[in-house]
């Protein structure tokens, strides 16, 4: 078994410059472990089964980087709920729909707290965002604002012109790629398109011309780095008393990436504050008549100064914007890439999806959002992609607010609870031929009327939880549904796709908080619309 966790610790120790600090390291680890064991000594005998680890370090030296597969293998040996100690942290992993139901429905309030990594707290500006804020009044306020003001159907309907404009620009750019005969990095194409949609919705900005390629690529790199840092095993998370030393530099690197994004976001907030307080007379009337998301949030911030029940801080605004920018670009582009890759692997699926789009839209006009609800097969394809290639193979870790019973075992307060969605989605007890890509499984009467990305909100079917469930289920599903389907339908409707000559397709993934392909998908578009003016 690869000692990835051991290499992690050794590299961290080697980074220390003074032998005294190394000696102190052992002392700190021992104190941390003693405190944890003392706190949990009464419930140790009732914990779920699991592998024995080493003194002080627990099972950390044996952890592999592909956590979703690693935890699935341990579940095969110890059962659908098992525990292991990683440093001073007690980790409980579940990988069955029934246990997920206990967490997300039957004990949702108890398990509503996130177990935030150091990088997550930095990304959320001190845990001020919707992902890493502890469950309570502050989190409920941010979620309510997000649902009512950001993801409301009325706002999404009103911003369709933005999505339509950016998708048409994408088609125009791809048409020029066809003329040049060059392959397209489909992930970057989808990312830049989603970035322009999100930035236009939030603060009215968009990338054009050479800036679109240059800044878009850099933006994608920064967002990708942040996503990887969120999933990177960090000594500071396993031994909290060592966090001040930042032995691996994760905190420092995360701060650097977030500061890069802040340099873009902060001036926008300052400008909106001037508008809100009437200091920018030239823009005030226009902005307030048709406010973007940022202006709406700043307005709530201003009103909250005199209304404590609606108090929204600037850090909460920045944290929420960070969630929208990262989630709205990385999730969309990753899902698009896996879907197109699967269609390259099984061309008959692409042909069937194209036939459906042609029947609904025709070849003499462009895809519009009102067409999307009729694309049943394409929806089934995306659902199957999210089942096999979950954007988040392991859902954001939770931590019970009190000692509780889960699966018949005692789970102490403060333990880390991990739901392995990747394993649940591939469970042979829940899915027939789980490793086969079969969109038809979502075309049965049980699934046709269910929501696009999640089934569980309606019938509590916890076999399928690509974006979680319960109180802390992803709130961005309404926008994600529209963007993913509109992009995919347009790509399939406007072009035929094939791999560059001599290229072999691989479907290898690399683990992260978002699961991506190891080798980016490059494909060649061929126009298929009858009226070429539709590409201009």
């Amino acid at each position: 078994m690869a000692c990835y966790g051991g290499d992690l610790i050794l590299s961290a120790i080697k980074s220390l410059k003074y032998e005294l600090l190394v000696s102190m390291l052992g002392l700190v680890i021992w104190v941390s472990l003693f405190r944890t064991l003392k706190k949990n000594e009464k419930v140790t005998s009732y914990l779920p089964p699991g592998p024995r680890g080493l003194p002080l370090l627990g099972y950390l030296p044996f952890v592999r980087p592909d956590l979703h597969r690693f935890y699935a293998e341990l579940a095969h040996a110890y059962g659908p709920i098992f525990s292991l100690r990683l440093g001073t942290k007690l980790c409980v992993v579940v990988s069955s729909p029934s246990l997920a139901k206990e967490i997300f429905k039957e004990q949702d309030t108890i398990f509503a707290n996130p177990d935030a990594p150091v990088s997550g707290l930095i990304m959320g500006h001190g845990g001020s965002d919707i992902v890493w804020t502890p469950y309570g009044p502050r989190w409920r306020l941010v979620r309510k604002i997000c649902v009512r003001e950001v993801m409301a159907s009325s706002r999404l309907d009103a911003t369709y012109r933005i999505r339509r404009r950016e998708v048409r620009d994408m088609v125009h750019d791809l048409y020029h790629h066809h003329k040049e005969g060059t392959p397209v990095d489909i992930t970057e194409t989808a990312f830049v398109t989603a970035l322009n949609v999100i930035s236009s919705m939030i603060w009215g900005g968009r990338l054009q011309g050479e800036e679109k390629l240059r800044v878009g690529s850099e933006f994608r790199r920064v967002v990708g780095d942040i996503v990887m840092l969120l999933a990177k095993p960090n000594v500071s998370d396993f031994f909290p008393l060592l966090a001040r030393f930042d032995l691996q530099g994760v905190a420092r690197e995360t701060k650097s990436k977030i500061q890069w994004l802040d340099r873009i976001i902060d001036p926008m907030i300052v400008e909106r504050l001037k508008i809100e307080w009437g200091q920018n007379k030239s823009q005030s009337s226009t902005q307030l008549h048709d406010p973007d998301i940022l202006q709406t949030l700043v307005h709530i911030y201003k009103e909250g100064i005199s209304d404590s029940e609606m108090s929204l801080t600037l850090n909460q605004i920045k944290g929420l914007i960070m969630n929208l920018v990262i989630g709205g670009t990385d999730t969309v582009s990753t899902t698009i890439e896996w879907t197109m890759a699967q269609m390259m692997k099984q061309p008959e699926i692409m042909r069937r999806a194209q036939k459906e789009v042609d029947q609904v839209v025709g070849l003499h006009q462009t895809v519009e959002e009102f067409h999307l609800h009729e694309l049943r097969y394409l929806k089934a394809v995306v659902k199957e992609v999210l089942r096999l290639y979950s954007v988040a193979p392991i859902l954001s870790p939770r931590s019970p607010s009190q000692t509780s019973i889960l699966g018949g075992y005692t789970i102490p307060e403060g333990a880390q609870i991990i739901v392995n969605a990747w394993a649940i989605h591939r469970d042979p007890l829940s899915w027939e031929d789980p490793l086969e890509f079969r969109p038809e499984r979502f075309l049965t009467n049980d699934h046709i009327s269910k929501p696009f990305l999640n089934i569980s909100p309606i019938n509590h079917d916890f076999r399928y939880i690509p974006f979680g469930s319960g109180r802390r289920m992803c709130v961005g599903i309404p926008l994600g549904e529209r963007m993913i389907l509109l992009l995919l339908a347009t790509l399939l409707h406007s072009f035929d796709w094939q791999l560059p000559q001599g290229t072999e397709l691989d479907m290898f993934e690399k683990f992260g908080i978002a699961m991506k392909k190891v080798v980016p998908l490059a494909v060649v578009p061929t126009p298929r619309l009858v009226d070429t003016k539709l590409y201009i």
Side-chain angles (χ1 to χ4, degrees):
M1 183 177 293
C3 296
Y4 179 76
D7 292 341
L8 177 152
I9 295 173
L10 289 175
S11 64
I13 294 176
K14 289 179 181 178
S15 68
L16 298 175
K17 295 183 178 180
Y18 304 101
E19 293 183 3
L20 177 60
L21 196 55
V22 176
S23 300
M24 291 175 59
L25 172 62
L27 178 61
V28 170
I29 291 177
W30 175 255
V31 172
S32 299
L33 182 62
F34 177 78
R35 289 180 177 179
T36 304
L37 292 176
K38 191 69 176 177
K39 181 178 179 181
N40 297 328
E41 62 182 358
K42 294 182 180 180
V43 299
T44 299
S45 59
Y46 302 104
L47 291 175
R52 296 176 61 87
L54 301 176
L56 302 180
L57 301 179
Y59 209 66
L60 186 59
F62 309 106
V63 172
R64 297 204 314 258
D66 55 337
L67 286 180
H68 57 309
R69 294 179 182 273
F70 174 70
Y71 287 150
E73 291 173 9
L74 288 179
H76 183 73
Y78 295 99
I81 178 170
F82 64 88
S83 64
L84 66 164
R85 192 168 296 281
L86 303 178
T88 63
K89 187 178 290 291
L90 174 65
C91 179
V92 176
V93 182
V94 303
S95 54
S96 76
S98 60
L99 290 167
K101 182 179 181 180
E102 285 193 51
I103 293 171
F104 294 134
K105 182 185 178 185
E106 297 169 3
Q107 302 188 66
D108 192 16
T109 303
I110 293 176
F111 289 98
N113 272 328
D115 187 54
V118 170
S119 53
L121 293 175
I122 295 172
M123 187 204 78
H125 290 86
S128 298
D129 64 341
I130 198 169
V131 177
W132 303 114
T133 299
Y135 179 69
R138 287 177 58 215
W139 175 81
R140 286 193 292 269
L141 171 64
V142 175
R143 189 183 188 281
K144 180 171 71 174
I145 290 173
C146 188
V147 170
R148 292 185 179 181
E149 303 294 341
V150 179
M151 294 296 163
S153 295
S154 57
R155 181 180 289 276
L156 295 182
D157 290 342
T159 54
Y160 170 52
R161 57 181 177 81
I162 292 174
R163 294 186 293 279
R164 187 182 192 280
R165 179 192 68 202
E166 298 306 329
V167 168
R168 296 315 304 160
D169 277 359
M170 175 191 72
V171 170
H172 174 71
D173 292 342
L174 290 173
Y175 187 65
H176 281 283
H177 269 285
H178 155 69
K179 289 184 176 180
E180 297 170 2
T182 56
V184 174
D185 183 332
I186 202 68
T187 313
E188 182 158 334
T189 297
F191 183 94
V192 172
T193 302
L195 174 61
N196 266 348
V197 169
I198 293 295
S199 61
S200 294
M201 289 178 62
I202 295 176
W203 62 75
R206 62 192 297 258
L207 303 174
Q208 301 182 69
E210 294 183 2
E211 182 186 52
K212 189 173 184 179
L213 297 176
R214 179 178 55 80
V215 179
S217 295
E218 188 172 3
F219 218 110
R220 179 188 170 195
R221 178 184 58 78
V222 171
V223 169
D225 289 345
I226 292 173
V227 170
M228 293 304 295
L229 286 167
L230 286 172
K232 184 175 182 179
N234 185 6
V235 169
S236 298
D237 295 322
F238 304 125
F239 300 97
L241 289 180
L242 298 178
R244 69 186 67 182
F245 303 115
D246 189 24
L247 299 180
Q248 295 166 257
V250 171
R252 182 172 61 255
E253 190 174 353
T254 304
K255 287 178 182 177
S256 174
K257 304 301 179 183
I258 297 302
Q259 287 170 357
W260 187 93
L261 291 175
D262 281 345
R263 285 195 290 272
I264 297 174
I265 295 172
D266 285 349
M268 305 295 178
I269 294 178
V270 171
E271 182 63 28
R272 296 308 187 280
L273 285 170
K274 290 180 179 179
I275 293 172
E276 191 62 39
W277 291 100
Q279 296 177 18
N280 191 331
K281 303 293 185 180
S282 63
Q283 297 187 36
S284 296
S285 60
T286 302
Q287 291 286 348
L288 292 176
H289 180 266
D290 185 21
D292 51 36
I293 290 174
L294 183 54
Q295 191 70 56
T296 299
L297 296 177
V298 168
H299 179 70
I300 295 173
Y301 162 76
K302 177 190 173 184
E303 295 299 310
I305 293 177
S306 57
D307 181 2
S308 59
E309 292 185 2
M310 283 294 289
S311 178
L312 187 65
T313 68
L314 291 179
N315 270 346
Q316 285 174 320
I317 291 176
K318 292 172 69 172
L320 184 53
I321 291 174
M322 206 69 69
N323 294 154
L324 292 171
V325 170
I326 295 176
T329 54
D330 195 73
T331 299
V332 170
S333 58
T334 300
T335 304
I336 296 291
E337 180 178 44
W338 280 117
T339 306
M340 294 296 291
Q342 191 62 49
M343 288 183 175
M344 294 296 103
K345 183 179 179 181
Q346 295 179 254
E348 67 277 7
I349 293 178
M350 180 169 67
R351 288 192 292 268
R352 181 172 174 181
Q354 285 180 321
K355 181 178 179 181
E356 178 185 61
V357 177
D358 292 347
Q359 290 173 343
V360 172
V361 180
L363 290 174
H364 296 272
Q365 59 181 332
T366 58
V367 177
E368 306 290 348
E369 277 193 359
F370 64 79
H371 292 127
L372 301 182
H373 75 279
E374 299 182 53
L375 302 178
R376 289 175 44 198
Y377 183 71
L378 185 58
K379 291 179 183 180
V381 170
V382 177
K383 283 184 177 181
E384 183 72 339
V385 165
L386 292 173
R387 183 185 70 83
L388 276 178
Y389 307 101
S390 304
V391 173
I394 290 178
L395 302 180
S396 298
R398 306 286 188 93
S399 182
S401 56
Q402 64 186 52
T403 298
S404 59
I405 304 299
L406 180 62
Y409 296 99
T410 300
I411 309 300
E413 175 186 350
Q416 182 185 78
I417 309 300
I418 289 177
V419 177
N420 191 347
W422 185 88
I424 291 174
H425 291 171
R426 293 167 178 246
D427 183 359
L429 297 178
S430 299
W431 302 94
E432 183 180 353
D433 299 322
L435 300 185
E436 291 187 15
F437 189 89
R438 286 169 39 190
E440 292 75 17
R441 71 176 84 241
F442 287 103
L443 290 176
T444 64
N445 292 330
D446 292 336
H447 297 303
I448 288 176
S449 62
K450 302 302 184 290
F452 167 53
L453 296 181
N454 268 47
I455 296 176
S456 55
I458 286 186
N459 69 344
H460 304 292
D461 186 347
F462 292 89
R463 298 176 303 152
Y464 184 75
I465 47 174
F467 291 98
S469 187
R471 282 171 171 80
R472 301 202 75 124
M473 181 176 65
C474 176
V475 297
I477 290 176
L479 178 59
E481 174 178 355
R482 297 190 188 210
M483 289 181 62
I484 291 171
L485 277 180
L486 182 61
L487 275 166
L488 274 174
T490 300
L491 290 172
L492 295 174
H493 180 248
S494 299
F495 301 95
D496 283 318
W497 299 90
Q498 60 183 9
L499 294 172
Q501 189 172 2
T503 300
E504 293 186 5
L505 177 69
D506 76 80
M507 299 294 284
F508 295 112
E509 83 272 0
K510 55 183 176 181
F511 174 79
I513 199 169
M515 189 168 68
K516 302 177 182 294
K517 283 181 86 279
V518 172
V519 179
L521 179 65
V523 282
V524 179
T526 302
R528 62 192 300 270
L529 294 179
V530 174
D531 186 356
T532 57
K533 292 181 180 179
L534 295 174
Y535 291 103
I536 301 176

